Amino acid sequence: MTLTATHCVASIPTYPICKHQHKPPRSLSRQILSRSNRVSNVKIPQSTSLTFEPRNECECFNLYEQQVPYGQAWAWQKSIVNEKKTLIQRNEDCSDSLFVLQHRPVYTLGTASSEQFLNFDVKDSPFDIYRTERGGEVTYHGPGQIVMYPIMNLRNHKMDLHWYLRSLEEVIIRALSETFCIKASRLEGLTGVWHGNQKLAAIGIRVSQWITYHGLALNVTTDLTPFRSIVPCGLRDCQVGSVRGLLKEFQSSADCERARLPDPDDGQLLDITCKSLIKEFSEVFQVRINHETTSRLELLERKPVNHLEEETN
């Protein structure tokens, strides 16, 4: 899932088959970043022996309470990638960026994704479909799923895509362990995060001139029904799970230590998960989280977006 292949199934364009048009708000950024969804700067847990000294700054757009249209989030990412490339060309400082949000229901495919993993006619899709420049096969995004789009300058970290993918997995694994006592793990040869045979989180990235975009999606309170209409990530023999589903299993286990954990409602569960993911992201990548304001997003919305596919390495 790290790099896209050299060929592309052409029947689904890089912009959506917009059968299911939604009229976007006049300025989505005006509705977001309320005080309630801001997360304070994180501190390393006392149990960690290493001193947490952030090496880089990371602007964070914490929009997790919003269901952002996929096309809008994609445009924001590409705009910031272009900004960072310009800064690098000028030999100026290029820090990191992070979007945290939910999406309206949508299917997305990677550049080389195969339509054989769609269990429906493309012309009669239940939701919009986007073919993007990320790696990986088809997946679903929707309400109850927390999506993180890190736009990082790997020159400031480690110019190694395998390290980057494993680090994204580590963010999720730590968050699930520290917050919910869920022992999530990796599966050899596959990208993502699992609990047994249930895939909890998918990862698909693109790297252009060592600038990352796209990212990860963790099922928290997600309705998993739309996954039945696809073969998620092209893996026919695996199940898709969610944090909410696992917590229900734990609650039904009288002899399980986790059964005594409190049972938050969906809104609380999303809030808890979001804060934990941002905290672990800050620690894994050793960045200081700086929460951005709506004015920054309004500026992005006014900027033209150039296509990145042909210049992506």
Side-chain angles (χ1 to χ4, degrees):
M1 289 190 179
T2 58
L3 293 175
T4 57
T6 56
H7 68 281
C8 174
V9 179
S11 57
I12 300 177
T14 54
Y15 207 68
I17 301 173
C18 278
K19 229 184 84 168
H20 308 273
Q21 288 282 6
H22 301 282
K23 185 177 180 181
R26 183 174 181 181
S27 177
L28 182 66
S29 61
R30 296 180 188 277
Q31 303 178 22
I32 59 184
L33 294 171
S34 62
R35 183 174 64 182
S36 62
N37 65 18
R38 295 185 181 216
V39 182
S40 59
N41 285 351
V42 299
K43 297 179 180 179
I44 200 75
Q46 293 181 357
S47 59
T48 302
S49 59
L50 298 177
T51 302
F52 179 46
E53 297 180 356
R55 297 180 298 183
N56 300 288
E57 302 291 322
C58 180
E59 62 175 356
C60 178
F61 301 93
N62 187 3
L63 325 178
Y64 90 94
E65 290 184 335
Q66 305 297 320
Q67 294 179 21
V68 180
Y70 188 85
Q72 177 67 82
W74 192 14
W76 284 338
Q77 291 181 74
K78 290 188 281 189
S79 180
I80 290 182
V81 170
N82 286 333
E83 280 186 1
K84 295 188 187 307
K85 287 182 178 181
T86 299
L87 290 172
I88 291 171
Q89 291 171 358
R90 296 174 180 170
N91 292 318
E92 296 181 18
D93 181 56
C94 176
S95 59
D96 300 320
S97 304
L98 174 66
F99 286 95
V100 186
L101 47 79
Q102 298 179 65
H103 281 306
R104 296 172 181 173
V106 65
Y107 291 119
T108 69
L109 298 89
T111 300
S113 294
S114 173
E115 291 180 37
Q116 68 175 323
F117 298 125
L118 304 178
N119 298 328
F120 53 80
D121 188 332
V122 172
K123 297 179 181 178
D124 191 29
S125 170
F127 305 118
D128 285 344
I129 306 176
Y130 283 78
R131 183 179 288 281
T132 76
E133 63 277 86
R134 67 165 173 79
E137 289 292 344
V138 62
T139 194
Y140 165 77
H141 297 305
Q145 182 188 75
I146 291 185
V147 179
M148 299 182 79
Y149 292 131
I151 307 173
M152 309 189 75
N153 178 10
L154 291 184
R155 295 172 181 83
N156 294 335
H157 299 274
K158 191 172 183 179
M159 294 165 67
D160 182 329
L161 300 188
H162 294 287
W163 169 85
Y164 179 63
L165 287 168
R166 302 294 81 78
S167 296
L168 291 178
E169 292 168 345
E170 185 67 17
V171 168
I172 304 166
I173 290 170
R174 289 190 187 186
L176 295 177
S177 175
E178 293 294 325
T179 308
F180 304 109
C181 299
I182 293 175
K183 293 183 179 180
S185 62
R186 304 173 179 88
L187 290 185
E188 185 177 357
L190 298 174
T191 300
V193 174
W194 308 70
H195 182 272
N197 192 42
Q198 297 183 49
K199 189 169 188 178
L200 304 178
I203 296 174
I205 67 168
R206 184 69 171 180
V207 179
S208 178
Q209 299 177 26
W210 294 111
I211 303 295
T212 71
Y213 59 120
H214 296 287
L216 64 88
L218 172 64
N219 297 321
V220 183
T221 63
T222 323
D223 176 7
L224 303 180
T225 305
F227 284 102
R228 299 174 186 170
S229 296
I230 60 174
V231 180
C233 303
L235 302 174
R236 295 189 182 278
D237 297 326
C238 78
Q239 300 175 359
V240 177
S242 69
V243 175
R244 168 60 77 199
L246 288 177
L247 292 181
K248 286 182 178 179
E249 290 180 17
F250 301 155
Q251 289 291 336
S252 64
S253 302
D255 60 341
C256 180
E257 186 71 21
R258 286 166 289 194
R260 294 196 291 271
L261 291 173
D263 185 22
D265 62 31
D266 284 358
Q268 292 171 329
L269 189 55
L270 284 165
D271 182 73
I272 293 167
T273 306
C274 172
K275 291 177 179 178
S276 182
L277 285 170
I278 293 176
K279 171 182 176 293
E280 299 302 337
F281 180 89
S282 174
E283 295 180 6
V284 168
F285 288 102
Q286 297 184 28
V287 294
R288 179 179 291 105
I289 299 296
N290 299 318
H291 293 277
E292 277 293 343
T293 63
T294 57
S295 59
R296 174 80 164 108
L297 284 177
E298 289 169 357
L299 179 62
L300 290 177
E301 289 174 358
R302 293 196 296 267
K303 285 187 175 182
V305 177
N306 297 324
H307 291 290
L308 298 171
E309 290 84 351
E310 295 181 359
E311 58 182 359
T312 303
N313 300 318

